[in-house]
Amino acid sequence: MSEERKSSLEELRAAEARLLVPTYDRNAVLFERGEGVHLIDEHGERYLDLLSGIGVNALGYAHPAIERAIVEQSRKLIHTSNLYFHRGQAELALRLVERTGLDRIFFANTGTEAWEGALKFARAHAGMLRSEGMRIGTKFLAMEHSFHGRTYGSVATTHKLKYREPFEPVMPGVEFVRFNDVADLRTKFSEDVCAVLVESIQGEGGIRPLSLEFAQVARELTRTTGALLVVDEIQAGMGRTGKWFGYQHLSILPDVTTIAKPLAGGIPLGAIACTDEVARAIHPGMHGTTFGGGPLACAVAIAVIDAIENEGLLAHALEIGGYFQQRLRELQKRHTMIAEVRGIGLMVAAELHSSTLARQVVKRMLERRILINCTSDTVLRFLPPLVVTKADIEEAIQALDAILTEETAEAQLAGGNKDGQ
Ligand SMILES: *Cc1c(COP(=O)(O)O)cnc(C)c1O
């Protein structure tokens, strides 16, 4: 390949098809840069991004605070290992402790790794309680439709069979509870359980908020035995719902929570936040990571948190998210194919009656240069950057309105043709 000539999308596609393990079914778009809520492809075409790299780019693209943190920190120190001190971890941990309401932080690199660590902490905590004479088992109760990542503990606690079955045997000792079914939780909960595992709002499962009642019963039951309540905030956390963490809408404080996606503005970083009681079970050498909590990732995360705070993005997420849902509900009145609109803050979904239509709408939105995706078969998912404006939302609503109108007309035409024969 000559130096000045760049590969075309078609060439890249062919090269990837030959060179990569085929884990992804990518959309045919080649992005080269981003600005605010827009991504820009190789032809200079702008796309409105309402997915933000699956909830990662909370401050949008090319945010000056992120750029500054990367430039300044990369000139000083990118990596040291966890054998030595650097200035970032304590400073970032303090910010996370203040915002989670928990006591201590462990830094990992990704969501699944934070979740994996949280599972280990729960088993270690139960082991510590047993050594102190308490009766508590090693079983996990996870939720139907949950998603916690791709490593072994994470897939074992993820509900969808297709993520687990090809890789069996996965981690044993997991039972699934029907989502938001308090009676099922009460039946399955016992002294055998070391932790109840929930997302405050299920993300991949279709933007489904945990009910207040379920959250509170889970909190009460776990308190009776010493089991932990572990809340996965990897998608809902860090301000997306208008509060720092989704569980703060549910008036509960978990024993453990996991944070990742938007934490360091696109630089990989995950974190576990837990109580002093949980941390009592962990001793030097029991758990660790080479990269986790490195100087660069910590510096960027500090900048992200400060920008969310300084730009008032929690209040903004709540206001714009409310406006978005209201506009979607107005669409629902005119388009019967929208079954339900739900979400909190800027974690928003419109569920359709048909999975074929949902896939089609995502495709048509991409043709109109608006990025959304479809999760849980029928659910249109919106995870825009927190800096999204009313005008951006309006653009998406107009596009959806036009697409749904076209699809209705086409369906009627197809139906009409059939009737005429
Ligand atoms: C994305 C996600 C994960 C996994 O995070 P990775 O960084 O992809 O490993 C875990 N839990 C939830 C709720 C998620 O949305």
Side-chain angles (χ1 to χ4, degrees), residues 377-392:
D377 299 328
T378 52
V379 180
L380 303 180
R381 171 169 57 170
F382 308 92
L383 299 171
L386 303 185
V387 295
V388 74
T389 65
K390 267 190 183 172
D392 301 323

Side-chain angles (χ1 to χ4, degrees), residues 393-416:
I393 297 300
E394 211 43 51
E395 185 184 335
I397 292 287
Q398 298 303 328
L400 272 174
D401 195 9
I403 290 164
L404 292 174
T405 304
E406 284 164 20
E407 292 298 321
T408 308
E410 269 176 43
Q412 277 167 356
L413 209 58

Side-chain angles (χ1 to χ4, degrees), residues 110-113 147-150 199 203-204 232 234-235 260-261:
T110 62
T112 197
E113 203 190 327
F147 181 86
H148 298 294
R150 309 292 195 146
E199 291 156 82
E204 304 304 303
D232 184 340
I234 290 165
Q235 193 162 142
K261 289 191 166 94

Side-chain angles (χ1 to χ4, degrees), residues 113-123 140 228 230 256 258 272:
E113 203 190 327
W115 187 251
E116 203 74 28
L119 300 178
K120 287 173 72 179
F121 286 13
R123 287 260 174 89
F140 291 109
L228 303 181
V230 182
V256 181
T258 51
I272 304 171

Side-chain angles (χ1 to χ4, degrees), residues 8 144 184 202 211 244 277 305 360 417:
S8 71
E144 292 191 357
D184 197 37
Q202 291 189 331
S211 75
W244 280 104
E277 163 63 16
I305 291 174
Q360 183 70 0
N417 284 345

